[in-house]
Amino acid sequence: MDQQLKKTVHDNMASYIDRLSSLVRIPSISFDNFDQKYVLDSAEAVKKMFEEAGLKNIQFLTPESGRHTVYGESLTSPDKPTILLYAHHDVQPPMREHLWNTKPFEATLSADGERLYGRGTADDKAGIITHLAALELVRASKKDQGPNLKFIIEGEEESGSAGFAQILKEHAALLKCDAVIVADLGNFARGTPSITTTLRGMSAVSVELKATKAPLHSGSWSGPIPDVGQVLCRIIANLTDGKGNILIPHFEDGLVPPTAEELASYKSLGMTEEIFRNDGGVLSETKLLVPEDEILLANWRRPSITVTAMEVGNRKNAGNVLQDSAYARIGIRLAPGMDADRCTDLLVDFIKQQVPFGITCEITTEDGANPFVTDTSHPFFKLMSESMATAYESPTKFIGCGASIPGAELFRNTFGNIPILLTGLEDPECNAHGENESLYLPDFERGILAEALFFEGLS
C-alpha cells in the first residue's frame, strides 16, 4: 500500500468530518409531508462542495418532484475508464426525537471519538464525502492519469427514487460510463470490508378503512358497528402465518434460490443468533422466526412483509371512542426473481378480498424497486476487492443485503451489463433509518482510502 496515501487520508480526517457535519446539519428529508426547502438547501451545499473540489459541468438534474439530483464531473482522457459515482443527499425523518441521545441534525462525536452521530452520517452523506475525498486524493497523486469520474448525488432516494429513472433516461449520454460505484450500502461488520452482490426489492401500500362518517361514543354505538381497528388487524394478520411466511397466493412465484457458491459464502461469514440479536437489539424474550443457519437467507434471499406505520385514533389523546377510520402502511421486501409491480398488485388484491362488512377500503400504492443481483466476474470487482482488503487490512467479503437501492437496477436498465459495485459505510451498529444513527469513523477513513486505491489501480 502507498503509505503516503494512507497518511494523507489520516491527516485529512478532521476536514472530511467537518464537511460531513456541515451536510448533516441540513434536515434534507425528502418525504412530501416535510419542508422540501431543506432538500434544495442540501443540493446547493453539495453543488458548492463540487465547485470547491474543482468539478466541471456542475448542474442540477431535476425530476418532477423538484428535488435536485446534483451532477458534476472530473474528466481526464477518453482513453481512461469512466466511473459514475453515486450517493444521495436526502435522508430519512428523525423518527422519535425523544429517543435520540444527541440532536438528530447536529453531528456529534461519541465520547471515545469512534462514532459520529446524526441523521445521514452513515446513510448516505458519508458516501458523498468518500467520493469527493477519493477524487482529491487520486488527482493529487496521479494528476490527469487517473480515471474519468462523474458524480451523481440523488435527492429523493429515501422517498423511493420516483424521478430517478426519468433522470437517467433523459441524461443517459451525459452519464455514460464503464462502471458505477453505489456508495449506499455497508460492511458485514465493523472492520470487515464488504461488496454487496444482491439486494431485495421493495414496494409499499397505504390502506385506510372507514366505517362511519366520524368517531362515535364507544358506549353508545359499539356492538352493532364493526370496529375498523380490529378489522385492519385481522387483515394484516392474514398476510402471513405464525412464522412470517407470506400467505398471498403466487406471491413468491419466480423466486430464485441462492447458488451453492452463494450459500457457501454466506456460511463463511459466521453469522450466529447471538451476533444477530446483539446487532439488531433484539430483546432476549423475543424468539426469531428462523433457525440460526437461515438468518442470512431470510434477511437477504426471502421476501417479507412489514407494517411500517399504523394509526387508529391517537395514543396521547386516547378516549372511549369507536374510531371512524384505521390506517396502515404495509411494506414488502422482495427477493431476487420477484417483480415489484406484480407483487404489489397481488398484495392489493389480497387485501381487498379480506375486507368484510362492506367497510370502505382505500389503497394507494408507491413506486417499487425490483431486486438486484450482480455478476462479480468483471476485473473491476477484483480490483475493488483488493483495494478494500488493503485499506482495511482484512479480506473483502461478498455479501447480500435485505435493503433496496432503486438506483442499482435503474443503472443496469440504462447502461446495460456494466459493473455496478455496491459499497458503503453502514455497519450493524449504525442504526440507519432509526434513532441515533451513526458512522463508524475508522471505517470512514478506510473506505476513503479503499476508493482512492481503486482509482489509482485504474490509472
Side-chain angles (χ1 to χ4, degrees):
M1 175 173 32
D2 185 336
Q3 293 299 320
Q4 182 56 49
L5 183 63
K6 181 179 181 180
K7 181 178 185 302
T8 301
V9 174
H10 184 75
D11 291 346
N12 284 326
M13 278 303 295
S15 171
Y16 302 147
I17 292 170
D18 283 347
R19 282 191 262 179
L20 174 57
S21 299
S22 71
L23 291 178
V24 171
R25 280 194 286 272
I26 305 171
S28 50
I29 304 164
S30 60
F31 290 30
D32 287 336
N33 53 331
F34 288 83
D35 190 346
Q36 296 305 287
K37 167 189 178 299
Y38 297 110
V39 180
L40 303 183
D41 289 346
S42 182
E44 290 287 354
V46 173
K47 179 174 178 285
K48 183 178 179 182
M49 286 186 176
F50 280 10
E51 292 168 347
E52 292 170 346
L55 269 63
K56 306 298 183 183
N57 198 17
I58 301 168
Q59 55 187 286
F60 290 146
L61 311 180
T62 307
E64 290 183 6
S65 68
R67 304 177 185 114
H68 300 315
T69 287
V70 193
Y71 174 82
E73 60 190 28
S74 176
L75 307 182
T76 53
S77 166
D79 298 329
K80 299 292 182 181
T82 298
I83 312 299
L84 183 63
L85 306 175
Y86 172 91
H88 63 86
H89 65 87
D90 66 314
V91 298
Q92 286 279 323
M95 304 293 285
R96 299 161 294 182
E97 293 197 39
H98 67 281
L99 294 182
W100 281 78
N101 297 322
T102 63
K103 294 180 179 179
F105 295 105
E106 184 176 305
T108 306
L109 274 173
S110 60
D112 60 8
E114 287 200 336
R115 300 196 81 94
L116 186 71
Y117 286 86
R119 176 59 88 224
T121 49
D123 183 20
D124 179 35
K125 292 178 176 179
I128 302 170
I129 305 304
T130 297
H131 289 328
L132 285 170
L135 160 77
E136 293 165 0
L137 291 162
V138 74
R139 290 294 179 260
S141 63
K142 296 296 182 181
K143 303 296 189 269
D144 60 353
Q145 296 304 305
N148 301 295
L149 300 176
K150 297 179 177 180
F151 291 69
I152 183 167
I153 310 300
E154 191 186 355
E156 55 181 8
E157 192 275 341
E158 296 292 10
S159 55
S161 295
F164 200 57
Q166 190 64 30
I167 286 176
L168 294 182
K169 180 179 179 180
E170 292 178 356
H171 302 281
L174 175 71
L175 301 170
K176 191 176 186 316
C177 58
D178 299 301
V180 183
I181 297 178
V182 177
D184 191 22
L185 277 298
N187 295 318
F188 184 73
R190 285 186 301 167
T192 301
S194 306
I195 299 173
T196 300
T197 62
T198 65
L199 297 168
R200 287 198 292 187
M202 68 170 294
S203 183
V205 301
S206 292
V207 181
E208 185 172 18
L209 304 181
K210 290 184 71 70
T212 60
K213 294 179 180 179
L216 300 169
H217 189 297
S218 62
S220 301
W221 296 98
S222 65
I225 301 173
D227 176 10
V228 288
Q230 293 184 55
V231 170
L232 181 60
C233 289
R234 290 194 190 99
I235 291 172
I236 292 172
N238 287 339
L239 295 173
T240 59
D241 65 14
K243 286 288 189 178
N245 298 307
I246 296 171
L247 299 178
I248 301 171
H250 305 293
F251 191 79
E252 297 184 17
D253 289 359
L255 186 66
V256 176
T259 64
E261 291 79 9
E262 287 173 322
L263 290 172
S265 177
Y266 297 168
K267 186 176 181 180
S268 73
L269 293 170
M271 173 57 74
T272 65
E273 182 171 335
E274 180 181 2
I275 292 171
F276 185 79
R277 285 179 170 278
N278 181 67
D279 290 346
V282 182
L283 300 179
S284 60
E285 299 85 358
T286 303
K287 291 182 170 59
L288 299 186
L289 298 175
V290 297
E292 182 176 85
D293 62 353
E294 294 184 21
I295 288 174
L296 294 182
L297 282 174
N299 192 222
W300 295 349
R301 300 304 292 262
R302 295 175 186 167
S304 65
I305 291 182
T306 308
V307 179
T308 60
M310 192 168 182
E311 184 175 77
V312 185
N314 184 286
R315 180 174 178 176
K316 291 184 179 180
N317 299 301
N320 298 319
V321 176
L322 178 67
Q323 296 294 342
D324 61 319
S325 66
Y327 163 87
R329 182 180 182 273
I330 302 170
I332 53 177
R333 294 287 179 174
L334 309 169
M338 302 175 75
D339 179 79
D341 291 340
R342 174 184 169 277
C343 290
T344 302
D345 290 343
L346 288 172
L347 174 62
V348 169
D349 291 344
F350 188 82
I351 291 172
K352 287 180 177 178
Q353 293 168 14
Q354 304 293 313
V355 181
F357 310 125
I359 290 173
T360 298
C361 175
E362 295 183 3
I363 301 178
T364 57
T365 62
E366 301 176 17
D367 290 330
N370 283 325
F372 178 82
V373 179
T374 192
D375 177 8
T376 61
S377 62
H378 193 281
F380 284 1
F381 280 91
K382 183 175 186 293
L383 176 59
M384 179 61 84
S385 177
E386 292 172 346
S387 300
M388 295 175 77
T390 299
Y392 281 77
E393 299 181 8
S394 179
T396 300
K397 301 292 185 179
F398 289 90
I399 64 173
C401 180
S404 307
I405 306 293
E409 186 70 11
L410 295 175
F411 285 129
R412 173 174 290 163
N413 294 341
T414 303
F415 302 120
N417 195 29
I418 65 171
I420 300 174
L421 300 116
L422 305 178
T423 66
L425 294 165
E426 297 177 25
D427 63 63
E429 299 162 58
C430 76
N431 215 30
H433 289 212
E435 294 86 12
N436 298 303
E437 178 183 342
S438 67
L439 173 69
Y440 184 56
L441 293 177
D443 282 356
F444 184 32
E445 182 171 343
R446 295 167 184 142
I448 292 171
L449 178 59
E451 193 162 295
L453 289 169
F454 177 76
F455 293 157
E456 285 203 346
L458 293 177
S459 303

